Amino acid sequence: MNAGLAAATMPGGLADPVHDAQRVFRHLLAAFAYPGRIEPLSALDAAPVPLAPSAAAICLALLDHDTPLWLDRAADVPAVRDLLRFQCGCPKVARAADSRFAVVADAAGMPPLADFALGDAAYPERSTTVILQVAALRAAGPLRLRGPGIKDRTALGIDGLPARFWTEWAANGELFPRGVDVVLAAPREIAALPRTVTVEF
């Protein structure tokens, strides 16, 4: 296979890897600095099914050979594995507890949050950031978020999360400073749930 044909068949990444990755990172920083704020994320036009373009862009911007990744059963398909292996070189781990990042494409079937790496007392940052795909995010919604980065409360609506998630999220908050952080990834938007945030209904 000649070099031109090989390049044409490789999974696509960010069109402008340096600048697009910087833009993705800035939107992620803003999302974590202001939990509940919905940030646009359209660095990719498309991603291999079932990966959302927003989730794929986060992976391409942040993952490398030093970031163990766990994929749920829905995301663990050849097209997704090929994209991440070729573009990121990140090692894929079999256990959620061994990951620094995780992609959950099927929120209804996701493992409990406690199954991911939670960090420890000395190194709470050695925990998993869960990229959790959801159907949609809405600035006006029934949820009320409180915590650092939020003045009083902020409203958020999330379509596509199982009801049990919020029980697990409350338990995750009780572990602070340990615990996971979550990036909610709608197709072309994101919002962050740092472990410091509490959610009311």
Side-chain angles (χ1 to χ4, degrees):
M1 181 182 293
N2 64 46
L5 182 57
T9 58
M10 290 297 181
L14 299 170
D16 184 345
V18 173
H19 293 99
D20 285 346
Q22 290 174 345
R23 279 191 287 272
V24 171
F25 188 64
R26 284 197 297 270
H27 283 298
L28 272 170
L29 283 180
F32 274 100
Y34 302 100
R37 175 193 287 185
I38 298 173
E39 289 284 322
L41 205 64
S42 56
L44 284 178
D45 291 330
V49 176
L51 205 58
S54 61
I58 293 169
C59 290
L60 296 179
L62 296 186
L63 303 186
D64 59 25
H65 64 278
D66 288 326
T67 47
L69 173 71
W70 181 83
L71 300 172
D72 75 345
R73 184 175 298 180
D76 193 7
V77 297
V80 173
R81 292 196 301 267
D82 289 347
L83 171 73
L84 299 179
R85 180 172 55 246
F86 178 70
Q87 297 291 346
C88 308
C90 54
K92 189 175 82 69
V93 296
R95 297 194 323 137
D98 295 329
S99 65
R100 295 298 300 273
F101 284 86
V103 174
V104 176
D106 175 20
M110 71 180 292
L113 291 177
D115 284 3
F116 295 96
L118 301 174
D120 57 41
Y123 299 100
E125 72 278 6
R126 293 180 180 174
S127 60
T128 304
T129 297
V130 181
I131 303 166
L132 176 55
Q133 294 188 180
V134 296
L137 295 167
R138 292 172 282 109
L143 304 176
R144 297 294 182 268
L145 279 60
R146 294 189 298 111
I150 300 171
K151 183 178 180 180
D152 192 22
R153 292 173 176 80
T154 191
L156 183 65
I158 307 167
D159 296 340
L161 279 185
R164 65 178 174 86
F165 177 86
W166 297 114
T167 300
E168 296 171 12
W169 184 253
N172 182 69
E174 293 174 359
L175 298 173
F176 185 82
R178 300 166 60 232
V180 303
D181 300 310
V182 173
V183 179
L184 300 164
R188 299 191 179 279
E189 298 175 317
I190 62 168
L193 290 177
R195 68 193 75 177
T196 53
V197 163
T198 59
V199 179
E200 303 168 346
F201 296 87

